Amino acid sequence: MLRISVIGTGYLGATHAAGMAELGFEVLGVDNNEAKAAALSVGKVPFHEPGLPELLAGHVAGGRLRFGTSLVEAAEFADVHFLCVGTPPGVNGAADLSQLYSALDGLVPHLTRNCLIVGKSTVPVGTAEALTARIAELAPEGISVDLAWNPEFLREGHAVFDTLHPNRLVFGVTTPDAEWALRQVYSTPIAAGSPVVITNLPTAELIKVSANAFLATKISFINAMAELCEITGADVTLLAEALGHDDRIGHKFLGAGLGYGGGCLPKDVRALIARATELGAGESVDFLRDIDAVNLRRRERVVRETLALLGGPHRSTGRVGILGAAFKPLSDDVRDSPALDVARRLHAAGVEVTVFDPAATNTARAVAPQLVFAATPAAALHEADVVLHLTEWREFRELDPVFLRTVARGRVLIDARNTLDPEPWLAAGWDFRALGRLVEPRTAAGRVGAPAGATYSTPAVAVRDTVADQARALPQPSPLTRLRARVRRTA
């Protein structure tokens, strides 16, 4: 059986190494960070990813997976080498490829057998061609080295499942031997039905960044519609529901709110703009600049409204309790996190900010030590004038608004993710606000049987479980209105 090395054991590399071990391969993970390699060697994962600690620890204990710091050892050990190093943003958003070149420089001269090197890192189109030339310069005489590109499509919080059950496999290859080796590596998911796309190196490189650019476009589109909804009195959640029923569009990534963040979408959008500009095709991706601008504008929208609630942008006092620091739930990743960005902006404006996150407290504190972090949601909301819901953790949907009303001072909540149910918050006396979503009390005057002056709350809800639920939730038209509707339909 083929033996595998995984070079770079950050989020992608550690997950991929554990996944390869789960698929039955003997795996060596290599990292130039000794502390990280030492922690992984005893089964400790230095970041939050559900299911990964158990998977990794099990295969470390069983001997199928080990970690070290020597690229020379990797060169002697493996038949297939996966490059999973970081490509962080550099000048003008362009990807910094220094870690890729460093990995090749440390690996290729020490190769002792014919092998396949597989890039999984997200790179600008044209990178693989340059790396191929570099490999040819470094490879020992008589050693044949193929380069392939196999982009990753992991969702943070679901990375283990996505590694073992990929929704597609992209093989950018130049030789039949490279395709054969990748099919051996992924034989189990291929047998289970994962589709395989065989393509050339530039296409494989572009598939990853274009996928992320498309997802970012979809998110910013619905957030642009949310801005229109806020001006016109429309409801973006119902708008998104209606759009999603069109199978050409779909429901996914149509959740309006605070926008996207993390280590992939923002970085990849800006890197694609930079690379297209380098290639003289900047006009072809000009729209992506607007996509990025819409995304950043949603954060500013929440900051402005919060400061207005506290008395204006020049007010230097006020307390805000924030629910969420990670860029998304089921993760402790705070890279380009909209939640943490909002928290830091408010703090810079003179607001007292206290943050709670179920998993990201340590990572958030490391990059934003000026903020106060609480151990519980109630502690974060203590004496808060305004509460902000900024990361859509399931735990926040289960909070008790009645109890929290006794903790907070202001009883104003901004649901910047549009995932909380307004009903219990309104019933508990909260001023519930959302982005592009109608949440307003409506009078019951004129309804049959309604007592004089009665009011009822009818927040707009994006998804109804059944048609019957929807019928019960909406005011029923009178018989005359129904008759007129029938006449109009048959006219």
Side-chain angles (χ1 to χ4, degrees):
M1 178 175 282
L2 297 172
R3 294 197 295 185
I4 291 173
S5 82
V6 176
I7 300 169
T9 58
Y11 181 84
L12 167 61
T15 305
H16 190 68
M20 293 298 98
E22 178 69 9
L23 293 178
F25 296 97
E26 188 178 352
V27 182
L28 170 63
V30 179
D31 202 286
N32 60 5
N33 184 317
E34 292 185 7
K36 185 190 299 182
L40 292 168
S41 293
V42 294
K44 294 182 179 179
V45 179
F47 52 85
H48 181 80
E49 178 60 37
L52 181 58
E54 298 83 1
L55 187 70
L56 186 141
H59 288 302
V60 167
R64 188 177 289 168
L65 174 61
R66 59 194 177 92
F67 295 90
T69 59
S70 174
L71 287 171
V72 175
E73 182 183 6
E76 296 172 349
F77 168 80
D79 305 290
V80 180
H81 305 274
F82 283 95
L83 299 177
C84 298
V85 299
T87 54
V91 179
N92 298 325
D96 179 353
L97 303 178
S98 59
Q99 294 182 54
L100 269 176
Y101 280 95
S102 178
L104 283 183
D105 290 351
L107 174 74
V108 176
H110 303 287
L111 293 172
T112 58
R113 72 188 74 164
N114 297 343
C115 67
L116 175 65
I117 296 176
V118 185
K120 290 196 73 70
S121 304
T122 304
V123 296
V125 62
T127 299
E129 182 181 0
L131 295 179
T132 299
R134 183 66 174 162
I135 290 170
E137 294 175 7
L138 297 174
E141 187 175 353
I143 299 296
S144 176
V145 184
D146 280 338
L147 177 69
W149 219 263
N150 169 223
E152 56 87 11
F153 303 99
L154 303 186
R155 300 167 297 161
E156 291 197 37
H158 306 277
V160 171
F161 180 87
D162 291 344
T163 299
L164 300 176
H165 309 280
N167 59 18
R168 79 277 208 193
L169 289 162
V170 174
F171 299 161
V173 296
T174 58
T175 68
D177 286 347
E179 179 184 343
W180 176 86
L182 285 171
R183 287 187 177 276
Q184 298 307 302
V185 170
Y186 292 107
S187 60
T188 298
I190 291 172
S194 293
V196 179
V197 177
I198 305 297
T199 185
N200 61 10
L201 294 172
T203 305
E205 292 168 317
L206 272 175
I207 285 171
K208 169 62 176 179
V209 292
S210 60
N212 280 349
F214 184 83
L215 296 176
T217 300
K218 199 170 181 182
I219 295 169
S220 282
F221 171 81
I222 199 63
N223 279 330
M225 294 303 100
E227 293 180 359
L228 288 176
C229 287
E230 290 166 3
I231 295 170
T232 61
D235 188 292
V236 73
T237 56
L238 297 179
L239 184 153
E241 181 190 2
L243 291 178
H245 285 301
D246 187 329
D247 59 12
R248 297 169 300 176
I249 299 173
H251 287 97
K252 292 183 177 180
F253 284 79
L254 282 184
L258 196 55
Y260 59 80
C264 291
L265 265 62
K267 174 179 77 74
D268 292 351
V269 167
R270 294 161 196 164
L272 183 55
I273 293 171
R275 183 56 175 157
T277 302
E278 291 172 356
L279 295 171
E283 291 182 356
S284 65
V285 294
D286 270 347
F287 72 98
L288 290 178
R289 294 183 172 88
D290 294 329
I291 296 303
D292 200 31
V294 169
N295 191 58
L296 295 175
R297 200 157 61 233
R298 301 312 286 162
R299 308 177 189 189
E300 182 60 32
R301 158 80 171 78
V302 173
V303 172
R304 284 200 315 271
E305 181 167 351
T306 303
L307 292 176
L309 288 167
L310 294 174
H314 302 296
R315 178 169 174 168
S316 60
T317 59
R319 301 187 69 174
V320 172
I322 290 182
L323 298 173
F327 89 95
K328 65 176 291 187
L330 299 177
S331 172
D332 63 350
D333 193 345
V334 296
R335 291 175 294 174
D336 208 348
S337 166
L340 200 57
D341 186 27
V342 167
R344 286 190 285 199
R345 291 192 197 195
L346 290 172
H347 179 271
V351 177
E352 269 189 78
V353 177
T354 306
V355 181
F356 170 78
D357 190 282
T361 294
N362 291 335
T363 52
R365 184 184 285 118
V367 298
Q370 69 273 33
L371 303 179
V372 176
F373 293 90
T376 65
L381 272 55
H382 180 67
E383 294 295 311
D385 298 296
V386 179
V387 176
L388 304 181
H389 172 235
L390 303 184
T391 306
E392 59 274 36
W393 284 93
R394 176 184 55 79
E395 289 89 332
F396 297 153
R397 298 198 296 272
E398 299 171 353
L399 294 174
D400 181 0
V402 175
F403 167 69
L404 293 177
R405 183 186 62 189
T406 67
V407 173
R409 181 166 56 202
R411 300 179 187 175
V412 180
L413 170 71
I414 299 177
D415 179 11
R417 290 298 184 179
N418 283 333
T419 56
L420 298 179
D421 181 0
E423 294 279 9
W425 294 88
L426 291 167
W430 286 81
D431 178 1
F432 188 101
R433 305 181 181 212
L435 301 188
R437 182 183 186 185
L438 284 178
V439 182
E440 57 185 9
R442 300 179 182 177
T443 62
R447 299 184 75 197
V448 176
T455 63
Y456 63 100
S457 296
T458 313
V461 179
V463 179
R464 302 290 182 189
D465 290 338
T466 65
V467 173
D469 289 340
Q470 185 169 351
R472 286 194 295 270
L474 297 176
Q476 297 300 306
S478 68
L480 180 58
T481 301
R482 293 196 294 269
L483 174 61
R484 286 172 175 165
R486 288 200 297 273
V487 170
R488 282 196 297 271
R489 285 197 297 271
T490 57

